[in-house]
Amino acid sequence: ILIPAVPGLHTGSIIMENQTQVFQQLEKSQKYVVVHEKAKLDHIPQVGEKVAIRHSPDKNIKSKVEKVEANASTQTRGR
C-alpha cells in the first residue's frame, strides 16, 4: 500500500526510485511503502539503504535523511 509522506519520522529501507520520488518500505510494517518527493529531501538515499527520514510540518524546510546502522536499536550489556 503506497502512502504519501507526512510530517514525522519514517524509518525503513529504500526499495525503489524514479525520476522524482523514492519509495521506502517501512521497518515496522511490511505492507506500507512511503513515497518521498526527491525535491523535498536534503539528499537522495541509495536503493537498498536503511534510512530514517524526518519530515517537518514546515514545507519550506527540506526533510532530513539519516542512514540507520544495522544494529542501531540493539543495546549491549556487560556482565
Side-chain angles (χ1 to χ4, degrees):
I1 299 173
L2 293 175
I3 56 174
V6 295
L9 181 66
H10 306 282
T11 303
S13 297
I14 303 301
I15 58 168
M16 187 178 131
E17 71 175 303
N18 63 23
Q19 293 289 340
T20 60
Q21 302 164 321
V22 293
F23 300 85
Q24 181 185 35
Q25 179 86 46
L26 290 181
E27 181 176 58
K28 301 207 184 234
S29 174
Q30 295 299 314
K31 88 179 198 184
Y32 294 107
V33 174
V34 180
V35 181
H36 302 279
E37 297 296 325
K38 286 183 176 180
K40 295 180 181 179
L41 302 176
D42 65 354
H43 74 275
I44 309 304
Q46 299 295 314
V47 172
E49 255 188 320
K50 185 173 180 184
V51 295
I53 301 176
R54 183 176 302 278
H55 290 283
S56 171
D58 183 348
K59 296 189 186 292
N60 296 321
I61 297 175
K62 289 215 176 216
S63 300
K64 186 162 179 65
V65 178
E66 295 179 352
K67 188 171 183 175
V68 175
E69 296 301 322
N71 293 326
S73 63
T74 305
Q75 294 181 354
T76 58
R77 294 189 332 188
R79 291 185 185 196

